[in-house]
Amino acid sequence: TSQDGLHTQKQGQCHEDVCSDEEEMRVWLTKLREAMKANIDMTAEIARNKTPSVFGELPEHPSWSHEGYRIDVSYINDSILVCSFPPTRSDVYELKRFMDDKHKGHYKIVNVCEKHYDTAMFSENVIAYPTPHNGICKLSDLWSFCEFTDKWLKEEETNVVLVHCQTGTVRSGLFVSSYLIHSRVCWTSEQAIKLFKTKRENGTISAPCHKRYLKYIESSVIAGEQPEDITLLFSSITLSNSPAFNEDGSCKPYFVIFQNGEEIYEFESTESYKTEDPISFPMSLQISGDIKIQFYSVSDILGTQDMFTIHFHTFYINSSNVRFSRDMIDGAHLNTFKQFTESFSVSLEVK
């Protein structure tokens, strides 16, 4: 080891000579600072979802670029585009550059996630339908998007609509698939989902609430009627058996009911259940429109855990007893930790 403990390293060769010359020391320190700065710059570029320039040319991959633009965009058809959320101001500028170069004066952008960015540069051409992550928007938002898109695209043949959420794969798929059904590009929700997945890399629509709302759109288009917020009397919720969420394989249910995004009812059980028999919770509650029922399990040891969620719209409830099987229930359909039996279901009594 040298007197000052420094070593120098050059390409392919390691030198252990003492850095006694001041000029050599300055060169060494300069190279060290440059290397540290390059590493910081590279990390920053990766954080902005850009390919660092040291890697050379941008790879031709849809998740990185489209025709030389640093934008993650897919054409579902000639009129509908999908991309991911532009995370930085430079990404917003790149999105604008792409849209102006390709579709100037003939585009609208629809943001369907809860995040926002400065849209001033797009001159009022950005519309928002905030949709929760792993959740569902209001059915009226889907219908409004379909009607807006249909009207805009019919105004001029060259008009286009670009839809984005966070990744352009799930919530964007819900809105785009809704329009594909509404416009009769696809006749069924299954066809719409398949088309979206074919055109958008990693595009997926698998959540039960998303599939249910697409079926709602399909049903309304076939019937030629727009859904309305009809009022029903909610009289009970029944679980077919008890999910195993607590440390002893039981559950202590706590649930909240939301109507059109607003909490209207909550209930916390005073006892835990570990049974194969039905568990019923009576009530008398008027409901109308978009309904969300969020179930939790409460434990002194494990705390409050999400169990499952059910989303539905009252317009499509045409029976006094509505049963949701396990594969129709968000959170239970995956059954990742085997907390639900194969026969698990939730039944709702309405009038």
Side-chain angles (χ1 to χ4, degrees), residues 246-349:
N246 293 343
E247 55 278 4
D248 61 352
S250 68
C251 73
K252 185 180 179 183
Y254 162 61
F255 64 89
V256 183
I257 299 177
F258 298 85
Q259 175 179 278
N260 301 319
E262 300 292 331
E263 181 179 330
I264 60 171
Y265 184 88
E266 67 173 345
F267 174 84
E268 183 172 354
S269 174
T270 57
E271 60 180 303
S272 296
Y273 297 89
K274 187 177 181 180
T275 177
E276 295 182 1
D277 296 327
I279 309 167
S280 290
F281 305 99
M283 67 186 72
S284 181
L285 180 69
Q286 284 193 335
I287 56 174
S288 177
D290 295 284
I291 304 300
K292 171 185 175 181
I293 306 173
Q294 176 71 63
F295 261 82
Y296 306 91
S297 181
V298 180
S299 165
D300 292 337
I301 297 176
L302 300 176
T304 302
Q305 305 173 78
D306 289 347
M307 285 208 294
F308 61 85
T309 309
I310 296 175
H311 298 264
F312 65 91
H313 194 283
T314 57
F315 182 78
Y316 299 91
I317 301 300
N318 50 22
S319 171
S320 61
N321 186 291
V322 184
R323 178 180 176 273
F324 297 88
S325 59
R326 195 191 73 184
D327 62 343
M328 298 169 63
I329 302 171
D330 290 88
H333 71 297
L334 296 176
N335 203 22
T336 306
F337 301 105
K338 309 301 180 185
Q339 293 159 312
F340 301 91
T341 64
E342 290 291 332
S343 61
F344 179 77
S345 65
V346 177
S347 296
L348 311 178
E349 290 286 341

Side-chain angles (χ1 to χ4, degrees), residues 112-123:
V112 301
C113 70
E114 295 176 297
K115 297 173 64 176
H116 299 282
Y117 51 89
D118 184 5
T119 61
M121 69 181 71
F122 292 103
S123 303

Side-chain angles (χ1 to χ4, degrees), residues 12 21 28 52 77 87 123 136 175 238 259 264 322:
D21 186 84
W28 185 83
N77 57 28
S123 303
I136 191 73
F175 276 78
T238 301
Q259 175 179 278
I264 60 171
V322 184

